[in-house]
Amino acid sequence: MDLSSHRDSADVIVVGAGPAGCAAAYHLARAGHDVLLIEKATFPRDKICGDGLTPRAVKELVGMGVDVDGDGWVRTRGLRAHGSGTTVEMPWPSVASFPDFGLVRSRMDLDELLARKAVAAGARLLEGTKVTAPVIDPRTGHVSGVTAQRDGGPRTYRAPLVVAADGASSRLAVALGLHQRADRPMGVAVRRYYTVPHRDEDHLEAWLDLETRDGRGRTYMPFGYGWVFPVGNGTFNVGLGTFHVGRKPEVDHRKMFREWTARLSPERAFDDDHAAGPLRGAPLPAGLNRRPQYTRGLLLTGDAGGMINPLSGEGIDYALESGRLAAGTVTRALGRPTAHAREEALLAYPDAVRAAYGRYFTVGRLVVQALNQPRVMKLVATRSLRKPVMQRFMFKLWANLTDPHSKDALDRVLTAIQRAVPAA
């Protein structure tokens, strides 16, 4: 699906055609800019992910004109949470600004669908093109394009602005000295697909009481959860993830995955005979662990900027939102009459990101630090599901679905907590 022209320059280059890059490219193209969207792989291609979309992500998809009622989507009504023998079903929180349902769709399908939306809006897509470094203008020190490998040889693509949507490792961010911060949450997740002989479900499922053994053979419960998300046609995305701040805990995620799935009901058939692919893992940089999100002509979006929820591990919604925020910032900047005014507009992007996520991500970091105390995590896993008010509180916090203008008591409490902490 390479629909680019032969032009090697653009108003904006977007690197990475995942949700963040596709959202940025879509909104930029809709605003009338010449956008070059560069993707190292060739569609369709897989990405390691839970594939679950919260109502936050659904809102962004609808805003991009995606038909969420069409084929290929699994609609979810809420979360089914398990912990210490207790199971509860919780509907998605009712928040005026978001839909009341979630979705599931594999990244193999989702990313190509979003790339097609960006192309339909006017973006030019280059597949099979691996960006290797930013091009720096020696006169200004600003990014003026990127170098890449395409068709076996080096190429240079020019633009006065570049949006980095190149994932957790973000080669572009590192090249400009933007490294991941050790004092922000970092997660690790593993997942595997299974095609099993039981019916599809209309809830996301989460297990809170994961257990493993440390290097001394002691059993403990790290902060994290296991998930089972229905992808459709009898296929499930099954995985688990943990988060930590600072020193990485001694967790063998693949071993913990095997032990956890073995404890599940045999009727679920999450075994090698029903596996639809290998067990794969990925890092989850969270809590805005790269700052600033703009420097010298480069804007960071999605995983490249550490825009992952440190409580749920959800990144697609923040990728879509940050792609839209970046596009809006670029559009305002390119409309300014002078280089100084354009730079002033671009420097506002980190403030917009912090205003959107900073306080919630600070709360998330504090919660991660607390729940990495085994006794605290065990208490939450065994007690939080037993009282309806705690169920609702934890779900709203986990999904970041709070209405700051609501008169609901839990919304008021969560809003007050976020206002009481500094932005990340």
Side-chain angles (χ1 to χ4, degrees), residues 172-370:
L172 292 174
V174 171
L176 267 67
L178 301 178
H179 299 279
Q180 293 178 344
R181 294 176 49 158
D183 64 341
R184 298 296 165 87
M186 174 61 76
V188 177
V190 295
R191 70 98 168 101
R192 194 176 194 184
Y193 289 106
Y194 295 89
T195 300
V196 296
H198 56 270
R199 65 183 179 85
D200 292 335
E201 301 287 352
D202 57 3
H203 281 71
L204 303 182
E205 289 193 90
W207 277 257
L208 305 182
D209 50 356
L210 297 178
E211 286 188 344
T212 189
R213 293 181 182 274
D214 62 17
R216 300 178 183 178
R218 297 174 299 186
T219 299
Y220 78 106
M221 192 178 294
F223 169 59
Y225 68 95
W227 71 77
V228 175
F229 295 170
V231 183
N233 298 319
T235 298
F236 290 79
N237 181 316
V238 182
L240 61 79
T242 66
F243 274 98
H244 64 277
V245 178
R247 182 174 177 271
K248 185 177 180 180
E250 299 177 15
V251 178
D252 183 336
H253 289 81
R254 292 174 178 270
K255 178 175 179 289
M256 186 162 62
F257 178 88
R258 292 191 297 269
E259 294 171 345
W260 167 61
T261 52
R263 291 196 300 268
L264 297 178
S265 168
E267 295 178 357
R268 290 183 176 267
F270 297 146
D271 52 38
D272 289 346
D273 291 339
H274 295 89
L279 180 64
R280 301 181 64 195
L284 301 173
L288 302 182
N289 78 340
R290 274 202 179 97
R291 290 184 60 191
Q293 290 80 37
Y294 169 76
T295 184
R296 294 184 286 155
L298 181 74
L299 298 92
L300 307 186
T301 59
D303 292 9
M307 299 178 200
I308 289 179
N309 185 325
L311 299 180
S312 69
E314 169 60 25
I316 296 176
D317 39 11
Y318 304 98
L320 294 169
E321 290 174 357
S322 64
R324 174 174 51 78
L325 283 174
T329 300
V330 170
T331 295
R332 285 189 292 275
L334 292 179
R336 299 288 177 88
T338 66
H340 176 75
R342 287 192 291 274
E343 187 68 9
E344 196 172 57
L346 292 165
L347 287 169
Y349 177 61
D351 291 334
V353 171
R354 292 184 74 209
Y357 311 128
R359 294 182 184 276
Y360 174 77
F361 282 169
T362 294
V363 172
R365 173 172 55 83
L366 296 173
V367 172
V368 170
Q369 289 175 319

Side-chain angles (χ1 to χ4, degrees), residues 2-263:
D2 191 333
L3 301 178
S4 71
S5 73
H6 295 292
R7 301 195 311 276
D8 289 346
S9 63
D11 295 333
V12 188
I13 290 173
V14 179
V15 180
C22 290
Y26 170 85
H27 291 290
L28 285 165
R30 289 272 294 176
H33 304 297
D34 180 18
V35 184
L36 186 59
L37 176 60
I38 302 178
E39 166 61 35
K40 66 180 179 181
T42 301
F43 288 111
R45 58 101 172 95
D46 191 22
K47 283 288 183 179
I48 302 167
C49 183
D51 299 334
L53 297 146
T54 74
R56 296 185 71 99
V58 177
K59 178 182 178 180
E60 294 298 318
L61 293 175
V62 172
M64 292 175 64
V66 175
D67 179 11
V68 298
D69 295 315
D71 295 336
W73 301 97
V74 174
R75 184 174 291 212
T76 61
R77 296 191 292 122
L79 177 72
R80 183 179 297 118
H82 308 267
S84 298
T86 300
T87 297
V88 297
E89 288 189 359
M90 297 173 283
W92 288 110
S94 178
V95 181
S97 54
F98 296 109
D100 62 355
F101 64 94
L103 297 168
V104 184
R105 187 160 188 160
S106 85
R107 293 288 299 276
M108 183 77 77
D109 295 333
L110 177 65
D111 290 15
E112 183 172 10
L113 181 154
L114 294 177
R116 289 186 183 279
K117 291 297 294 186
V119 169
R124 294 181 287 133
L125 174 65
L126 279 178
E127 299 179 54
T129 305
K130 183 179 180 180
V131 169
T132 54
V135 175
I136 305 297
D137 185 332
R139 298 170 303 163
T140 64
H142 277 55
V143 172
S144 60
V146 298
T147 58
Q149 287 289 323
R150 176 174 170 79
D151 298 329
R155 296 286 293 272
T156 299
Y157 302 95
R158 300 281 182 178
L161 291 171
V162 174
V163 175
D166 52 345
S169 59
S170 189
R171 186 187 297 264
L172 292 174
V174 171
L176 267 67
L178 301 178
H179 299 279
Q180 293 178 344
R181 294 176 49 158
D183 64 341
R184 298 296 165 87
M186 174 61 76
V188 177
V190 295
R191 70 98 168 101
R192 194 176 194 184
Y193 289 106
Y194 295 89
T195 300
V196 296
H198 56 270
R199 65 183 179 85
D200 292 335
E201 301 287 352
D202 57 3
H203 281 71
L204 303 182
E205 289 193 90
W207 277 257
L208 305 182
D209 50 356
L210 297 178
E211 286 188 344
T212 189
R213 293 181 182 274
D214 62 17
R216 300 178 183 178
R218 297 174 299 186
T219 299
Y220 78 106
M221 192 178 294
F223 169 59
Y225 68 95
W227 71 77
V228 175
F229 295 170
V231 183
N233 298 319
T235 298
F236 290 79
N237 181 316
V238 182
L240 61 79
T242 66
F243 274 98
H244 64 277
V245 178
R247 182 174 177 271
K248 185 177 180 180
E250 299 177 15
V251 178
D252 183 336
H253 289 81
R254 292 174 178 270
K255 178 175 179 289
M256 186 162 62
F257 178 88
R258 292 191 297 269
E259 294 171 345
W260 167 61
T261 52
R263 291 196 300 268

Side-chain angles (χ1 to χ4, degrees), residues 402-406 410-420:
T402 303
D403 185 351
H405 306 294
S406 171
L410 289 182
D411 280 330
R412 291 203 304 268
V413 169
L414 287 166
T415 299
I417 290 173
Q418 293 187 48
R419 287 175 177 168

